[in-house]
Amino acid sequence: MNLLVTGAFGWTEDELNVLRSMGHQVVFVQQERDDLPCDPSWVEGVIGNGLFLSHPIESFGNLRYIQLTSAGFDRVPMDYVREKQIEIHNARGVYSIPMAEFAISGVLQLYKQSKYFYDRQRARVWEKNRNLLELEGRTVCIVGCGSVGTECAKRFAAFDCRVIGVDLCPYENRLYAEMVSLDYLDEKLGESDIVVLTLPLTEQTTHLFAKERFSRIKNGSVLVNIARGAVVETDALLAALHDKLYGAVLDVFEEEPLPEQSPLWDMEHVILMPHNSFVGDGNRKRLAEVILKNLEQCRV
């Protein structure tokens, strides 16, 4: 297969040679927005992330295989991919562990008042705080029960939380006390202490959490968004943080980078990350394994 490989994965020459040893012709481009080192019509397979944001997929007339280095499909024109029956794979499972670790660490930072103690450590002030919370016994609602959601379920369950799932396509999974369809989301929000968003961004899920949905959420709950920023309407989130939520753990935002004037920066009960929760030292090994396995099993 004629493969166009991009710098979305930090390839070494030895790793590129592994692809060549499998019988593939390989060309490499570091930045996906740069001019391509080959004619798009030469390309039969792509390994990358946001290539089609800068280069129209229609120009790749012989494209039949896509391997994404991201978990989401939102940077690819999926209607075109389906129409042309292009085989496509995402990086399923690669980033799930660090994202789940971020989710639970963020909630623990809020529950254990980490900012409070950090500020006093810097000021050398010995001052107790009697308002710390425990995870044990809390109800955690995971909205989107794919690989990221399931890794979250494992970790919250280990803290003796009751974990319930809400998914577009519910299925049996022993990690969840129950799993229901999106139709029951409002009901489950009313009984959940922690809500973790890990679902993909689609037309159906854009602004899934807007003013009306936040009115259904349990008072004093924590919202964790490690999905996509547009799943949550920013103004509705800000309002909920003033009078509804205990706090929020946010890795993604409707506008990225988060504007300097955003009130979120200064909120003591908000944990922020710059779309960084996917980073972990095990990612490279997992992603390489996914790429090679999918190539070996390629149907085209």
Side-chain angles (χ1 to χ4, degrees):
M1 190 189 312
N2 294 339
L3 283 176
L4 174 61
V5 179
T6 82
F9 175 72
W11 297 90
T12 65
E13 192 60 31
D14 286 343
E15 289 166 335
L16 292 173
N17 285 333
V18 170
L19 300 181
R20 297 183 179 107
S21 72
M22 297 171 68
H24 303 293
Q25 302 297 313
V26 178
V27 295
F28 178 78
V29 59
Q30 180 62 49
Q31 299 295 333
E32 295 183 322
R33 63 180 177 272
D34 289 350
D35 293 339
L36 299 181
C38 61
D39 191 284
S41 63
W42 177 87
V43 178
E44 297 172 316
V46 166
I47 303 175
N49 186 14
L51 181 72
F52 305 120
L53 298 178
S54 303
H55 304 277
I57 195 171
E58 293 83 3
S59 65
F60 295 82
N62 292 308
L63 185 65
R64 51 197 176 96
Y65 183 88
I66 300 172
Q67 170 67 66
L68 299 174
T69 58
S70 63
F73 293 95
D74 49 298
R75 295 183 173 186
V76 180
M78 289 302 298
D79 288 342
Y80 180 90
V81 169
R82 285 188 284 264
E83 176 189 343
K84 298 298 183 180
Q85 297 183 326
I86 298 169
E87 182 176 336
I88 187 167
H89 301 276
N90 67 343
R92 178 178 173 81
V94 171
Y95 311 110
S96 304
I97 289 173
M99 291 175 72
E101 289 181 354
F102 167 71
I104 200 162
S105 69
V107 175
L108 283 170
Q109 286 183 67
L110 291 175
Y111 271 23
K112 303 305 179 184
Q113 299 282 333
S114 292
K115 286 185 177 181
Y116 173 91
F117 289 111
Y118 176 73
D119 289 343
R120 277 146 189 81
Q121 178 179 338
R122 288 179 59 86
R124 299 174 183 257
V125 173
W126 184 274
E127 184 174 276
K128 296 185 184 298
N129 186 326
R130 306 290 186 181
N131 297 312
L132 308 187
L133 304 180
E134 300 176 2
L135 270 178
E136 194 274 335
R138 305 287 177 178
T139 295
V140 179
C141 178
I142 295 176
V143 187
C145 304
S147 59
V148 176
T150 297
E151 291 297 334
C152 290
K154 288 180 187 177
R155 285 153 181 77
F156 281 105
F159 280 82
D160 291 330
C161 295
R162 177 176 178 265
V163 182
I164 57 180
V166 176
D167 197 80
L168 296 168
C169 301
Y171 62 96
E172 291 292 326
N173 189 319
R174 61 178 180 79
L175 290 171
Y176 299 88
E178 61 176 319
M179 190 186 299
V180 299
S181 73
L182 208 56
D183 294 336
Y184 296 93
L185 175 58
D186 288 345
E187 174 185 328
K188 297 307 172 185
L189 290 179
E191 62 186 69
S192 300
D193 303 292
I194 299 159
V195 179
V196 183
L197 307 182
T198 65
L199 70 175
L201 180 64
T202 64
E203 288 186 10
Q204 184 180 5
T205 63
T206 298
H207 284 182
L208 183 67
F209 278 72
K211 182 178 179 180
E212 179 63 26
R213 183 125 292 132
F214 276 113
S215 72
R216 309 290 185 184
I217 208 165
K218 183 178 179 180
N219 287 336
S221 59
V222 171
L223 179 74
V224 179
N225 190 5
I226 51 175
R228 286 289 187 263
V231 172
V232 177
E233 186 182 40
T234 303
D235 288 344
L237 171 63
L238 289 170
L241 282 165
H242 281 295
D243 60 15
K244 191 80 171 178
L245 298 175
Y246 181 80
V249 179
L250 307 171
D251 182 54
V252 291
F253 307 87
E254 281 197 275
E255 183 179 352
E256 295 182 1
L258 185 66
E260 288 185 21
Q261 66 270 25
S262 172
L264 291 169
W265 288 109
D266 298 317
M267 291 186 171
E268 287 296 317
H269 58 324
V270 172
I271 304 294
L272 296 183
M273 285 274 273
H275 206 139
N276 200 82
S277 69
F278 69 94
V279 176
D281 58 357
N283 286 349
R284 183 180 181 82
K285 179 176 182 293
R286 287 188 293 268
L287 182 54
E289 290 172 350
V290 165
I291 291 171
L292 294 178
K293 179 181 177 181
N294 287 337
L295 277 174
E296 289 169 354
Q297 299 176 351
C298 177
R299 300 188 301 272
V300 297

